[in-house]
Amino acid sequence: HGISGAAEADGLAEEIGLENSDGPSMPRVLRSALKDGLQNMRAVVFTEHGPASVLRLDEAFPRPKPLPNQILVRIKATCVNPVDFKMRRYPINNAICPKPKIIGTDFAGEVVELPSRGGGCKFKKGDTVFAKAPLLATQWGSFAEYMAIDPSVVALAPQNVSLTEAASLPLVGLTVLAAVKPFVDQWQDRTKGKRVLVQAGSGGVGTFAIQYCKNALGMHVIATTSARNADFVQSLGADEVVQYDKEPFEKVVASGRFSESNKLDLVLDPLGYKYCDLTMSSSVIGVGGWYVNIAGSDWGEQSADWLRLAIPEAQVPQMLSHAWRKLRSGLSAALGYGPHYHYVFVQPNGDDMNKLREAVEAGYVKACIERVYKLEEAQEAHTHQETGHVRGKLVVQVCDPASPQQI
């Protein structure tokens, strides 16, 4: 799978099966809609890789024409994720990132058309839904007024939040659910009181992880963030805050803070490219604990993939390194020393989207949105995201605010 930082796993084909149709066989959920030659829409696209300035608002981009198994969703809101600007920034060949490419994966909106074949669709026209769309081998994206998508990866939107809020949740929510899965599988309903460290606690993944681990799993949460965001992170439920600009993580490890009875049971780390070696080689995680490396890379400019296949965190050397770490840690954990290692790439997942909706409706997590942009402000939103200091998420409103179908 290693194609992008929020890449869809090739194994998804085994989970959803293949659709029988003319032409080459491929995973049903990854089959891309055609262009509607009669109807257009507004969409933010890029035709070449580069800085945020390559993004442009096309006022008359062809609407997607759904395949027989797909639903058509009128998108009300989307959001910016790091993988979006990395897919835009780093050269990737057209087979993987067809251009012109509509940017974006997360969305919330309203079902306006049902599958023309197959029957038994779980949705009806007018349902409000949210999802993370497939990222690869398709030119469609969520910075557009319409999305054609397989309903198997879509869920009803939470009824207790706006679609603006719902749009900010799919990728980060799916990431955290995938990250904690092996830990939860191990401990089942005995996670209460276990100790978790959440790196980058004020970011998109971090804000969701703090709330979910605290409220849904009952864990003791330690989070790292800047002094500026310490109160914010505590308000989300963090029991302890490590202010990295006052107390660098390296010094925290060396201080013995996480030793003896204070050892960690779980580490969720979106900064694995920076802290993985330090964490895994130290004794901060207890025997049988878990270190979860959440796919990521330094947000500064990195070397492009000479194969033009992947963004930095998904290039071949990185994927081989993760495979080796997983094998080595699995052996050491089985022998009773050292933590387990788990590496997370997020993928579209309808079952987990339903779990995400349930978590929101139960009040376990809420959306953390720093700012809402308009679709025509996509360049500005990307530039803002690339600073690396966003508190929570940046949302982009897609529908016309004056429309009767407003968010």
Side-chain angles (χ1 to χ4, degrees), residues 177-187 290 292 342:
L177 290 175
V180 303
K181 186 180 187 305
F183 173 80
V184 172
D185 287 346
Q186 176 184 348
W187 291 101
W290 287 87
V292 183
H342 180 44

Side-chain angles (χ1 to χ4, degrees), residues 8-301:
E8 288 70 42
D10 291 339
L12 195 56
E14 299 176 2
E15 297 176 18
I16 63 172
L18 301 176
E19 171 161 68
N20 295 320
S21 64
D22 295 334
S25 182
M26 69 183 299
R28 185 185 69 185
V29 73
L30 298 182
R31 296 180 71 86
S32 188
L34 305 175
K35 289 183 178 179
D36 188 325
L38 300 177
Q39 301 184 80
N40 296 327
M41 65 179 181
R42 301 170 78 227
V44 175
V45 304
F46 64 94
T47 56
E48 60 181 348
H49 295 274
S53 59
V54 302
L55 297 176
R56 65 179 178 84
L57 177 61
D58 190 328
E59 297 281 357
F61 195 86
R63 272 173 50 170
K65 183 177 182 179
L67 297 175
N69 64 289
Q70 294 179 325
I71 60 174
L72 185 66
V73 178
R74 184 174 188 266
I75 296 177
K76 301 299 185 72
T78 181
C79 69
V80 187
N81 291 301
V83 68
D84 297 330
F85 74 72
K86 292 177 184 180
M87 287 289 287
R88 185 213 74 221
R89 178 194 286 175
Y90 296 103
I92 300 175
N93 70 54
N94 279 355
I96 296 168
C97 182
K99 290 170 276 290
K101 169 69 175 174
I102 301 175
I103 202 70
T105 57
D106 287 0
F107 69 89
E110 178 185 344
V111 176
V112 294
E113 188 175 321
L114 299 177
S116 60
R117 188 179 71 196
C121 181
K122 59 186 176 181
F123 302 113
K124 63 182 184 298
K125 286 186 179 181
D127 280 347
T128 54
V129 296
F130 72 151
K132 177 198 178 304
L135 178 67
L136 308 176
T138 176
Q139 69 178 151
W140 305 109
S142 59
F143 276 53
E145 290 180 316
Y146 291 89
M147 168 74 74
I149 188 168
D150 191 293
S152 67
V153 298
V154 180
L156 290 171
Q159 296 302 297
N160 59 333
V161 299
S162 69
L163 290 180
T164 301
E165 294 169 298
S168 72
L169 296 171
L171 185 143
V172 295
L174 292 177
T175 297
V176 172
L177 290 175
V180 303
K181 186 180 187 305
F183 173 80
V184 172
D185 287 346
Q186 176 184 348
W187 291 101
Q188 298 296 320
D189 58 354
R190 294 172 292 137
T191 59
K192 186 175 182 179
K194 299 294 183 183
R195 294 168 60 82
V196 58
L197 172 67
V198 178
Q199 292 277 22
S202 60
V205 170
T207 53
F208 190 99
I210 290 169
Q211 297 178 83
Y212 190 80
C213 289
K214 181 68 176 181
N215 300 325
L217 302 181
M219 301 182 73
H220 180 90
V221 180
I222 304 121
T224 66
T225 191
S226 64
R228 178 178 73 92
N229 289 320
D231 289 343
F232 168 64
V233 165
Q234 282 188 308
S235 74
L236 296 176
D239 298 286
E240 301 178 46
V241 176
V242 176
Q243 299 177 27
Y244 66 77
D245 44 358
K246 291 185 176 180
E247 190 178 16
F249 186 63
E250 295 83 351
K251 290 186 177 180
V252 174
V253 171
S255 71
R257 177 171 175 175
F258 303 127
S259 60
E260 303 304 329
S261 61
N262 289 327
K263 286 193 175 184
L264 301 166
D265 300 293
L266 174 65
V267 174
L268 302 179
D269 194 357
L271 305 176
Y273 57 89
K274 185 175 182 179
Y275 294 127
C276 179
D277 289 337
L278 173 64
T279 308
M280 290 291 287
S281 63
S282 69
S283 58
V284 300
I285 304 176
V287 174
W290 287 87
Y291 175 81
V292 183
N293 192 338
I294 296 169
S297 61
D298 192 321
W299 287 19
E301 289 285 350

